[in-house]
Amino acid sequence: MKLLKRAPLLLLLLVLSCKDSAVLLKELHTISDTIKTQYAPDKRVAIFDVNFEDINDIIIVSGITDSKEAHQKLVTNLKSLDIAFINNIRVLPDTVVGPKKFAVARNSVINIRSNPKHSAELGTQGLLGMSLKILDKKGDFYRIQTPDSYISWVDKGGIQKMNKKQFDAWNTSEKVIFIKTNGFVYAAASEKSPIVSDITLGALLQYRSENNSFFGVKYPDNRIGFIKKTEAIRYNSWLKNTALTGEKIEKTAKKMNGFPYLWGGTSTKGMDCSGFTKMAYLMNGFIIPRDASQQIHAGKKVDSDLNFKTLEKGDLLFFGTKATAEKKQRVVHVGIWLGNQKMEFIHASGNVHISSMDKAEAHYDDFNKNRYLGSRRYIGSSNKNIIALRTKLKP
């Protein structure tokens, strides 16, 4: 009988406790969301994925982040609330990765996927010799970050893992850059020798030697090969002579005319729209953001009137869905303005090809003209998201 009388009181305390817990968890998620907005607003280039659980009046904090600053800020906020909590957040890279927290792409093109499995969507690609950071590991896949800060997963066969000393040695060593759209690395200084591997535009290998016809090169996994000198150039020499001009962007872009479209592609084996613009700028000495929706936030805004009159050769044109009262602007496509009387631009859609904004031209692109959102000028623009490779050259 006494138990029955006490039951309503116990129930009330339980309800109040659950309510307090729900309020606290909501407050914690609000704090977490604020930190995420500050340190990892774009999940493609930064990680902050945190969750909270109340177990017996102790808050269990779990999740992952690649930002030590974000992690510390969250911990500071939790301590200020004067609550009991257990911190199970992994700050990447951690012990799961091991001592080798860096890597270099070892295949002509590596496929970098949205999830750690071969069937996952292709997010981007890396080129032979590309330097990478390793953040995490799951099975045979590694979560890596590319030079443009893009974060996703690559299988172990595509990379050569390195410790800091090995990685620094690779990055400071003299290189050779491949400047043709595609070709081969040979086992000896002869086209008749066996093929070590294929190679594509923009690939980097370590310089070893040269004769009149070939460069001797070394792969990041220490394989040895030879590249025809008509298809490559010593990297520092190439980089010193790069100058970002509209004419050079146009020349590079037109070399890729007719190349196939590949969602997630950023190589001459196949490329999507932003992978194409990225390659055009990369081969002129600049790393730009990976996706069109990221590229539109770099550089200087031009053509606010959307009439193409103030555009210059090399400007990037963006297309998609305009903002409404209910929805934000959505960028889904990008191309390069060629700055001629035919109002032409070149872009990857189906394949890389030239289209026009002039109704009088046979290759007029009515579809893209009607979804044109505006343009950005990278040439001559100072922006943290446009990285000049020349700045990394030693004096």
Side-chain angles (χ1 to χ4, degrees):
M1 189 68 180
K2 288 181 180 179
L3 288 174
L4 290 176
K5 288 182 179 179
R6 291 181 61 190
L9 178 59
L10 291 172
L11 181 62
L12 178 61
L13 290 173
L14 180 61
V15 170
L16 289 174
S17 176
C18 290
K19 183 178 180 181
D20 290 344
S21 175
V23 170
L24 175 59
L25 290 174
K26 184 176 181 180
E27 181 180 354
L28 293 175
H29 280 292
T30 299
I31 291 171
S32 175
D33 289 344
T34 301
I35 295 173
K36 184 173 185 176
T37 299
Q38 180 180 358
Y39 291 95
D42 186 342
K43 65 181 182 180
R44 293 168 293 187
V45 297
I47 301 171
F48 189 82
D49 187 7
V50 175
N51 191 40
F52 305 92
E53 187 178 5
D54 186 347
I55 299 179
N56 298 325
D57 295 328
I58 298 176
I59 299 298
I60 310 298
V61 191
S62 59
I64 55 174
T65 181
D66 67 332
S67 172
K68 292 180 180 178
E69 293 81 5
H71 174 254
Q72 185 56 52
K73 190 163 188 175
L74 178 62
V75 171
T76 300
N77 274 273
L78 291 174
K79 288 180 178 178
S80 70
L81 294 175
D82 194 25
I83 59 174
F85 69 93
I86 297 175
N87 182 3
N88 289 334
I89 295 175
R90 295 176 58 209
V91 181
L92 307 178
D94 59 7
T95 54
V96 171
V97 172
K100 294 184 176 181
K101 298 179 180 180
F102 304 91
V104 177
R106 64 181 297 273
N107 293 335
S108 61
V109 175
I110 59 172
N111 294 321
I112 304 171
R113 302 188 179 278
S114 58
N115 287 298
K117 54 184 179 180
H118 289 288
S119 60
E121 178 183 75
L122 184 65
T124 190
Q125 291 178 320
L127 304 175
L128 176 62
M130 179 180 283
S131 297
L132 310 162
K133 295 178 183 178
I134 299 178
L135 300 177
D136 201 359
K137 182 181 186 296
K138 189 172 184 180
D140 288 338
F141 279 79
Y142 289 87
R143 193 197 298 254
I144 53 93
Q145 187 167 38
T146 59
D148 57 14
S149 298
Y150 208 86
I151 297 173
S152 211
W153 297 86
V154 65
D155 73 279
K156 66 178 183 180
I159 59 174
Q160 180 67 28
K161 295 189 296 175
M162 297 181 179
N163 58 34
K164 184 68 164 57
K165 183 178 179 180
Q166 294 167 327
F167 189 65
D168 289 343
W170 171 265
N171 287 326
T172 56
S173 65
E174 190 171 358
K175 306 288 197 313
V176 170
I177 183 169
F178 194 75
I179 57 174
K180 295 295 182 180
T181 54
N182 54 73
F184 299 101
V185 182
Y186 299 94
S190 168
E191 289 184 67
K192 295 181 180 180
S193 67
I195 293 170
V196 178
S197 78
D198 69 323
I199 189 169
T200 63
L201 182 68
L204 295 172
L205 287 172
Q206 196 174 82
Y207 171 86
R208 294 183 70 243
S209 63
E210 63 182 289
N211 60 26
N212 290 336
S213 302
F214 283 84
F215 286 115
V217 295
K218 183 194 285 188
Y219 287 73
D221 56 9
N222 294 321
R223 284 177 292 167
I224 302 300
F226 294 84
I227 303 175
K228 290 190 289 185
K229 293 181 79 171
T230 55
E231 299 179 345
I233 187 172
R234 289 169 76 158
Y235 181 73
N236 284 355
S237 176
W238 169 80
L239 199 53
K240 286 176 182 177
N241 290 311
T242 57
L244 192 58
T245 67
E247 288 72 21
K248 289 192 173 184
I249 291 294
E250 177 181 21
K251 184 178 180 181
T252 303
K254 285 184 174 179
K255 284 183 178 179
M256 294 181 274
N257 197 43
F259 283 19
Y261 181 92
L262 174 66
W263 177 271
T266 60
S267 73
T268 53
K269 290 189 175 184
M271 53 189 66
D272 58 24
C273 62
S274 54
F276 165 65
T277 55
K278 180 175 172 58
M279 277 299 298
Y281 273 82
L282 177 64
M283 293 312 297
N284 283 280
F286 283 78
I287 296 174
I288 67 173
R290 168 62 183 94
D291 293 338
S293 58
Q294 297 169 315
Q295 291 176 2
I296 197 172
H297 297 296
K300 176 185 176 183
K301 184 177 181 179
V302 290
D303 196 25
S304 298
D305 295 330
L306 304 181
N307 58 17
F308 311 104
K309 291 181 179 180
T310 60
L311 293 181
E312 296 178 3
K313 192 186 298 290
D315 289 345
L316 296 187
L317 287 72
F318 296 93
F319 308 89
T321 306
K322 295 180 180 180
T324 66
E326 295 79 25
K327 295 182 180 181
K328 295 180 180 180
Q329 174 179 275
R330 184 166 179 260
V331 180
V332 298
H333 191 55
V334 61
I336 300 172
W337 188 247
L338 296 181
N340 55 40
Q341 295 298 315
K342 293 182 179 181
M343 298 178 66
E344 289 179 327
F345 66 103
I346 185 168
H347 58 136
S349 179
N351 61 9
V352 177
H353 64 276
I354 296 173
S355 299
S356 172
M357 290 300 182
D358 186 347
K359 290 183 179 180
E361 297 295 330
H363 53 316
Y364 169 61
D365 192 339
D366 178 66
F367 174 68
N368 277 313
K369 187 172 184 180
N370 287 325
R371 61 174 189 162
Y372 175 54
L373 300 173
S375 295
R376 291 277 173 160
R377 181 164 300 148
Y378 285 12
I379 299 172
S381 174
S382 177
N383 189 287
K384 66 178 182 179
N385 295 317
I386 303 172
I387 304 169
L389 291 172
R390 289 183 69 174
T391 61
K392 298 183 179 182
L393 273 176
K394 291 183 178 180

